[in-house]
Amino acid sequence: MSTLDKNMSLTSEAPDNINTVQKIGTFIGMLGLFIIVLAGFNVGLPNKGLWLTIALTALIAGIALFAKGTYKNKLEGIKNDGVWFKSISSRGYLAWIAGVGLTGFYIVLYFFAELLGLGVNGAENTGVVALFDPLSRLLSGNAASQWFVYGTLYTVAILAFGIKFLMKYKHNRYEQLRTVSVMFFQTAFAFMVPELMARLNSDSFSLPYNDLKNMWPLNYYAFEQWRVDQFINAETIGLVFLLFGVLSIFVVSPILTYKYGKRWYCSWVCGCGGLAETAGDSFRQLSDKSMSAWKVERWVIHSVLVFSLVMTVATISTYLGYDASKYWLTKDMFLIGVAVFLGLLFAVIWYFKKEELAKDARYGAIGYLVVVLSLITIHYLSGKELFLFEAGKLRSLYGFLIGSVFSGVIGTGFYPILGNRVWCRMGCPMAAILGMQQRLFSKFRITTNGGQCISCGNCSTYCEMGIDVRAYAQKGENIVRSSCVGCGVCSAVCPRGVLKLENDSMNGRIDSNQILLGNDVDLMDLVNKN
Amino acid sequence: MEHIVIIGNGISGVTTARHIRKLSDKKITVISAETDHFFSRTALMYIYMGHMKYEHTKPYEDYFWKKNRIELKRGFVKTVNHQEKQLEFTEGDTMSYDKLVIAVGSKSNKFGWPGQDLNGVQGLYSKQDLDALEEYAPNNNTCKRAVIVGGGLIGIELAEMLSTRNIPVTFLVRENSFWNGVLPEGESEMLNRHIKNHHIDLRLGMNLKEILSGENGKARAVVVAETGEELPCDVVGLTAGVSPNIDFLKESGIELGRGVKVNRFLETNIPDIYAIGDCAEQHEPIGNRRPIEAVWYTGRMMGETLAQTICGNPLEYKPGHWFNSAKFFDIEYQTYGWVFANKKEYETHFHWKHEDDTKCITVAYHKDSKLFLGINTFGIRMRHEVFDRWLTEKRDIDFVVHNLSEANFDPEFYKKFESQVLSEYNNQSVSV
């Protein structure tokens, strides 16, 4: 080991010298970043629209050019050479710089937006936010906010690194289509449409910023009173949006997840997933594959789900309670409805799929159900605005802990250290719901190709969700895991053609028998007897 | 409690240990001189290429062994004393066993070339080989050129590895086309072109004469037998096959051929001593198989079989239909059933190659009965389960070519080639 380690230092041997195209790309990209930083220092840039255009174009062009330099003159194939030698992708010095930088950016963004130049109390924007004013005015007609700055940069990142990903996987049509899809949904649904919709707003008509694909509970404020009121007040169009929001949770998502697995959302549509798959692609190998990480994952993500559920129910029931005259749905109906729904859901799972649940999953499910139902009961009986905790406080605690710290600061800021899907794996309540369905009621699986696995470990290493894919593949078992987002990279990096993402019948989808083909048939019977 | 001692912690030995544990409560010890824990030998190349770290190549986390009460012993067995049922290690300590499993794998072939033991001259089989490569070929400053001798699976892997660090590679292949002892002509020639596309200096029909020594007993150059040309280099890869790593057994009384001689129950001539994996040699070849099968999959199968025998359920090693796989730079290869480069007298081939020169298939069938014998597929993934079934069902080539889409295992949205294959098949059938 020692000789090996010695050679894995920064200065090493890996082909990490960059070529001319990469140098030009770096220069252009840095130029774009530099303009934005300059704006942050309130250098009075004249003609902000022009400078912003230059900055964003330079960012995208720089990243794309760097990627071109990386992959030009290379034949189609897997491009993971030197991943564990490069500082940025192996938790080296550059990775820590990037991690600290990103984390700092998120802290400023969420908690100290005025540092970015956000005009407070009606004041004019300055600094970085002011730089983005021209684009914001062009789209929505309003001045920019820190969220507009973030949304723009976010979209730029997905587009630029999406181009890089497309070049990297030019031989793989699944990866190509999936990437084009997330680039489209981010640009159109998360960015352009809501901004343009804002143009419809006037004194008498207003819709909330509405990213149609951003479903509850990932969008934890989806059913807050101000949003619901806005939708209702906007009459037909608002009600359509509100109805779509509800339908997508209870109808659209279950159908798509049944047919295709949670990947239809997590790696084809979702914005968080989009960023992870593009800008975060260089960090996918950093996810923790240990059994202990998997245990932590299951408890944490389902706890977040319960937290978000309780918080949402508390919030909604509170405003249904004190503003009862405004809504046809009463607080009592709502609470009873939630309790009945959860009870039924639990009963269905228990009845049909009990055997497929591990012991801790059963305990966890029962425990959480009891907690949620008793909270609802207490709330119902007490008849006050209290939900043990005050809904508003619960809401802001959730917003702070989960919405800001977990999904933003840790989830994205720590990409270069913890990997690109920490939020999706450990925190996203939406992923928890989709995952539960994927594990129990879906046609999706990763099929293992007979006995061809050589246990090399590429699949597990490059699984961004930290699934030990090899553990299944080397036994000839299909992979059916709730956390799998169907990115397809395990299948891509497999040197022996062992893995294939598929939607097929439910029968035989999970078969824990050891089916190592090419073996003696009688022997396999014996092995499976135990 | 019966003590099962397994020498070798590769796929064969570890599979045996795991299955014995599943079936019984016996005491199990696995000995290795190579590494503390089981790792995937097939993944060594990816460590050098920077795709993975050594830790990633371990299929089981380190706690696994203790949890399953499989004891691990680091040491090199010097002698086996079967009268006393005792092993002696080079360190001087000893270990008793009740049953002994020899699963020591292979070593790289050296055919007595002058200079073959110089520094910088090595095969690529063990973790130590990888460490040596890191020492002598860390980058293209220390290693200005490498010469690889021997055109098989390990040779081409080594070429790929070195090229990822921009080290120029000259690849000496004895045959007049890459791996054409195993692959039919069309496939072998496609790979020649693919190798050259990766900027490897492929020299076909060339042999090594000698390796010249520089300072400090380090290789300096290679002399080519046919041309007398002297190729300056810093590393020489010897990849002309492997052979059983059994020198330590010479005086043991265990019957040896090229490997440890075993019967179908994987028993040696000495009671309670077994041999499996790369180092085992069948008295009689099984079907079309070679008496020594140095393949990951067969090692795994032998391990499973032997575990049954050791746990009181004597079972013959009865492998099913042959299969194998490899990857040549960017081209994946799978094979099911038998396709011979030198066709058997009853054998005919149907060959299709895509115009992009990275995909092809060869289907072998019986020239009279049209019985499907096997398939080689390059650049298109196929389903093991389907071909295994077709071989068992004794399908004919017509059926196979017409139903090829059922066997396709490429990722979703990939371009399909079944109709091209079919029309090519129909064309060839007409013209014959």
Side-chain angles (χ1 to χ4, degrees):
Chain A
M1 267 321 280
S2 56
T3 50
L4 210 61
D5 284 342
K6 199 168 58 198
N7 286 312
M8 288 188 179
S9 64
L10 230 188
T11 53
S12 91
E13 355 300 2
D16 57 1
N17 298 326
I18 60 173
N19 59 36
T20 315
V21 179
Q22 287 172 311
K23 282 174 192 161
I24 298 172
T26 308
F27 175 76
I28 295 176
M30 282 299 173
L31 189 73
L33 199 59
F34 183 67
I35 294 171
I36 294 173
V37 172
L38 267 191
F41 286 107
N42 276 315
V43 178
L45 293 171
N47 201 346
K48 292 200 166 59
L50 179 66
W51 282 108
L52 179 66
T53 311
I54 294 175
L56 297 183
T57 313
L59 275 178
I60 296 180
I63 293 167
L65 208 57
F66 189 92
K68 188 163 169 54
T70 311
Y71 304 122
K72 67 164 185 168
N73 301 333
K74 295 237 171 99
L75 298 180
E76 294 184 0
I78 295 304
K79 301 278 173 276
N80 288 335
D81 293 343
V83 162
W84 286 100
F85 303 143
K86 289 175 191 151
S87 178
I88 186 72
S89 55
S90 63
R91 294 195 192 99
Y93 184 64
L94 290 179
W96 281 97
I97 299 249
V100 170
L102 277 170
T103 309
F105 170 73
Y106 273 97
I107 291 173
V108 170
L109 177 75
Y110 281 115
F111 309 116
F112 306 100
E114 63 279 5
L115 291 180
L116 290 173
L118 181 70
V120 195
N121 298 329
E124 287 273 307
N125 287 329
T126 56
V128 177
V129 183
L131 180 68
F132 285 72
D133 275 341
L135 181 61
S136 183
R137 287 190 201 286
L138 183 71
L139 291 171
S140 68
N142 306 322
S145 67
Q146 82 271 35
W147 301 119
F148 180 79
V149 173
Y150 180 52
T152 310
L153 291 177
Y154 198 100
T155 308
V156 162
I158 288 185
L159 289 177
F161 286 102
I163 294 170
K164 170 189 175 259
F165 196 85
L166 291 174
M167 292 185 196
K168 180 177 178 182
Y169 280 101
K170 62 183 167 194
H171 63 291
N172 190 317
R173 280 191 78 201
Y174 180 77
E175 299 302 334
Q176 296 239 313
L177 290 173
R178 182 172 74 67
T179 304
V180 169
S181 173
V182 291
M183 289 163 79
F184 166 76
F185 276 103
Q186 174 61 32
T187 314
F189 280 58
F191 186 64
M192 300 292 281
V193 172
E195 290 292 339
L196 292 173
M197 291 285 293
R199 285 201 163 262
L200 299 176
N201 291 353
S202 62
D203 293 339
S204 56
F205 177 87
S206 118
L207 277 173
Y209 192 95
N210 189 34
D211 173 358
L212 278 172
K213 67 176 175 51
N214 196 8
M215 293 156 58
W216 182 89
L218 174 57
N219 179 1
Y220 58 89
Y221 45 82
F223 299 110
E224 280 174 20
Q225 187 175 21
W226 59 274
R227 276 177 68 93
V228 173
D229 286 354
Q230 274 191 326
F231 279 132
I232 293 174
N233 294 337
E235 300 189 332
T236 314
I237 187 163
L239 287 175
V240 168
F241 282 140
L242 189 60
L243 193 65
F244 183 81
V246 176
L247 281 182
S248 52
I249 300 162
F250 292 104
V251 180
V252 179
S253 166
I255 291 175
L256 290 175
T257 307
Y258 172 71
K259 290 180 79 142
Y260 308 112
K262 80 199 245 191
R263 57 183 172 154
W264 78 267
Y265 193 74
C266 296
S267 63
W268 284 73
V269 172
C270 178
C272 301
L275 191 72
E277 294 291 348
T278 51
D281 174 60
S282 306
F283 311 112
R284 57 173 60 247
Q285 67 282 355
L286 303 174
S287 60
D288 189 337
K289 276 73 180 188
S290 65
M291 186 67 90
S292 50
W294 185 18
K295 281 192 182 135
V296 171
E297 166 198 319
R298 292 191 319 230
W299 282 105
V300 173
I301 192 170
H302 293 116
S303 302
V304 174
L305 173 61
V306 170
F307 186 7
S308 83
L309 184 78
V310 169
M311 185 273 289
T312 307
V313 171
T315 308
I316 295 176
S317 66
T318 306
Y319 69 72
L320 288 181
Y322 69 73
D323 258 350
S325 56
K326 273 168 70 180
Y327 313 97
W328 60 266
L329 185 67
T330 68
K331 181 183 145 189
D332 290 358
M333 273 163 66
F334 173 71
L335 285 178
I336 293 170
V338 170
V340 168
F341 177 77
L342 289 177
L344 274 177
L345 187 68
F346 180 85
V348 168
I349 293 176
W350 200 258
Y351 183 75
F352 288 105
K353 298 287 176 178
K354 187 181 167 196
E355 301 310 315
E356 288 180 25
L357 298 178
K359 202 161 79 181
D360 61 341
R362 293 184 197 183
Y363 291 153
I366 296 172
Y368 278 137
L369 185 73
V370 169
V371 169
V372 173
L373 291 183
S374 45
L375 280 176
I376 291 176
T377 314
I378 293 169
H379 187 43
Y380 183 70
L381 293 178
S382 72
K384 292 179 186 162
E385 286 162 32
L386 288 173
F387 200 99
L388 225 51
F389 322 92
E390 197 188 322
K393 280 191 180 147
L394 206 59
R395 154 69 180 80
S396 32
L397 183 68
Y398 186 92
F400 172 75
L401 275 183
I402 309 297
S404 307
V405 175
F406 203 159
S407 76
V409 179
I410 298 176
T412 314
F414 286 16
Y415 266 13
I417 307 302
L418 299 175
N420 57 335
R421 283 275 195 179
V422 174
W423 159 247
C424 312
R425 177 186 181 188
M426 303 276 183
C428 177
M430 173 88 185
I433 293 178
L434 296 178
M436 224 180 282
Q437 196 197 334
Q438 168 162 285
R439 176 67 182 72
L440 299 173
F441 304 102
S442 170
K443 294 155 91 84
F444 172 73
R445 89 290 309 276
I446 304 175
T447 305
T448 290
N449 196 8
Q452 287 279 24
C453 176
I454 52 169
S455 304
C456 72
N458 272 296
C459 51
S460 298
T461 305
Y462 286 91
C463 176
E464 55 191 353
M465 298 304 280
I467 299 171
D468 189 0
V469 184
R470 163 175 56 192
Y472 303 87
Q474 66 188 358
K475 288 191 277 187
E477 220 176 283
N478 289 348
I479 295 104
V480 181
R481 278 277 293 268
S482 43
S483 63
C484 175
V485 291
C487 72
V489 167
C490 59
S491 163
V493 298
C494 175
R496 294 296 189 267
V498 175
L499 302 164
K500 178 175 162 74
L501 281 62
E502 283 189 300
N503 317 305
D504 204 341
S505 92
M506 295 277 285
N507 290 335
R509 174 169 168 259
I510 304 172
D511 188 351
S512 56
N513 278 352
Q514 302 219 356
I515 318 162
L516 290 175
L517 284 169
N519 214 329
D520 177 6
V521 189
D522 305 336
L523 169 67
M524 289 335 289
D525 287 346
L526 283 171
V527 167
N528 286 321
K529 232 184 249 168
N530 297 292
Chain B
M1 196 168 21
E2 195 175 37
H3 186 196
I4 314 293
V5 174
I6 300 165
I7 313 178
N9 70 347
I11 180 67
S12 315
V14 159
T15 305
T16 314
R18 281 178 43 239
H19 282 264
I20 292 176
R21 176 52 71 239
K22 282 187 183 186
L23 296 167
S24 78
D25 236 4
K26 297 177 197 293
K27 181 178 176 190
I28 304 170
T29 304
V30 178
I31 298 167
S32 171
E34 188 181 14
T35 51
D36 289 334
H37 298 100
F38 171 50
F39 71 99
S40 179
R41 189 173 304 293
T42 48
L44 279 178
M45 64 184 293
Y46 298 109
I47 303 174
Y48 182 85
M49 289 159 67
H51 294 207
M52 286 191 274
K53 300 219 279 190
Y54 169 69
E55 294 305 309
H56 299 118
T57 67
K58 293 190 222 172
Y60 304 97
E61 288 185 64
D62 290 351
Y63 70 79
F64 175 88
W65 309 102
K66 193 164 182 192
K67 187 182 155 211
N68 289 289
R69 290 169 291 121
I70 295 172
E71 287 176 32
L72 305 176
K73 152 95 182 160
R74 190 82 188 261
F76 190 91
V77 176
K78 195 170 74 178
T79 53
V80 176
N81 180 344
H82 66 80
Q83 283 95 1
E84 306 283 328
K85 288 198 163 184
Q86 198 175 60
L87 306 175
E88 192 189 331
F89 293 91
T90 45
E91 309 276 288
D93 49 336
T94 59
M95 181 182 286
S96 301
Y97 65 83
D98 296 305
K99 287 200 166 86
L100 180 67
V101 179
I102 300 168
V104 291
S106 303
K107 60 179 173 14
S108 303
N109 282 335
K110 293 181 174 181
F111 293 117
W113 293 297
Q116 68 182 14
D117 294 319
L118 290 168
N119 290 330
V121 181
Q122 63 167 105
L124 183 73
Y125 184 87
S126 66
K127 177 67 168 50
Q128 284 69 27
D129 289 336
L130 180 73
D131 295 346
L133 195 65
E134 274 292 348
E135 187 179 348
Y136 290 102
N139 54 42
N140 58 11
N141 292 322
T142 308
C143 178
K144 298 214 162 21
R145 172 168 291 277
V147 175
I148 297 170
V149 181
L153 296 178
I154 299 179
I156 195 167
E157 283 184 1
L158 188 55
E160 181 177 1
M161 290 161 69
L162 293 161
S163 69
T164 62
R165 297 202 186 179
N166 297 324
I167 295 171
V169 175
T170 298
F171 193 7
L172 300 186
V173 173
R174 180 184 61 182
E175 295 78 19
N176 56 24
S177 184
F178 175 77
W179 216 34
N180 67 358
V182 175
L183 301 178
E185 195 182 358
E187 301 169 349
S188 166
E189 284 171 359
M190 184 180 85
L191 290 181
N192 291 340
R193 294 186 289 271
H194 188 63
I195 292 168
K196 287 177 184 164
N197 285 343
H198 276 276
H199 312 293
I200 303 296
D201 173 23
L202 177 65
R203 310 274 186 102
L204 296 170
M206 296 284 171
N207 283 280
L208 168 66
K209 185 176 174 204
E210 64 173 318
I211 303 162
L212 303 178
S213 175
E215 296 160 31
N216 312 324
K218 196 176 150 296
R220 143 177 97 75
V222 153
V223 181
V224 180
E226 282 71 14
T227 59
E229 189 184 355
E230 197 175 304
L231 303 168
C233 61
D234 298 292
V235 162
V236 180
L238 299 180
T239 57
V242 295
S243 49
N245 183 24
I246 52 169
D247 291 345
F248 74 108
L249 294 174
K250 273 185 182 145
E251 313 297 326
S252 65
I254 300 170
E255 186 189 352
L256 305 178
R258 279 184 57 224
V260 181
K261 289 282 195 180
V262 293
N263 61 19
R264 288 292 288 268
F265 289 91
L266 305 165
E267 297 163 333
T268 67
N269 60 320
I270 310 283
D272 294 333
I273 299 186
Y274 309 84
I276 53 171
D278 283 20
C279 69
E281 179 180 3
Q282 287 286 330
H283 291 292
E284 299 294 333
I286 301 170
N288 280 322
R289 289 166 185 262
R290 297 174 187 190
I292 298 176
E293 297 180 290
V295 179
W296 177 268
Y297 310 115
T298 53
R300 193 172 62 194
M301 290 180 215
M302 288 187 223
E304 288 169 355
T305 310
L306 181 60
Q308 295 285 342
T309 302
I310 285 180
C311 295
N313 177 26
L315 206 66
E316 280 190 32
Y317 169 53
K318 259 190 316 188
H321 299 295
W322 170 257
F323 71 98
N324 201 0
S325 66
K327 191 175 182 187
F328 307 99
F329 284 95
D330 300 317
I331 301 182
E332 288 174 21
Y333 155 70
Q334 296 176 336
T335 184
Y336 302 104
W338 292 108
V339 180
F340 289 102
N342 305 308
K343 288 178 226 169
K344 305 276 179 190
E345 73 284 0
Y346 54 79
E347 183 180 351
T348 312
H349 290 173
F350 160 66
H351 181 67
W352 166 87
K353 185 166 76 63
H354 189 260
E355 60 191 8
D356 76 0
D357 211 22
T358 64
K359 300 169 195 78
C360 72
I361 64 169
T362 305
V363 186
Y365 60 100
H366 196 288
K367 65 178 179 204
D368 301 323
S369 67
K370 297 235 170 175
L371 178 72
F372 168 60
L373 300 172
I375 183 168
N376 282 352
T377 168
F378 288 77
I380 302 175
R381 295 174 171 181
M382 303 265 189
R383 279 181 204 269
H384 190 174
E385 184 265 327
V386 171
F387 281 114
D388 198 72
R389 193 173 73 234
W390 287 349
L391 286 163
T392 303
E393 291 170 353
K394 299 197 182 305
R395 296 293 183 176
D396 62 19
I397 168 115
D398 279 340
F399 179 89
V400 169
V401 173
H402 280 94
N403 291 280
L404 213 49
S405 60
E406 191 190 335
N408 187 292
F409 198 69
D410 270 339
E412 293 155 299
F413 307 116
Y414 266 44
K415 224 178 148 212
K416 301 273 197 288
F417 304 100
E418 286 88 11
S419 55
Q420 275 190 46
V421 172
L422 183 60
S423 64
E424 175 82 16
Y425 176 71
N426 290 333
N427 282 341
Q428 289 187 16
S429 304
V430 170
S431 62
V432 168

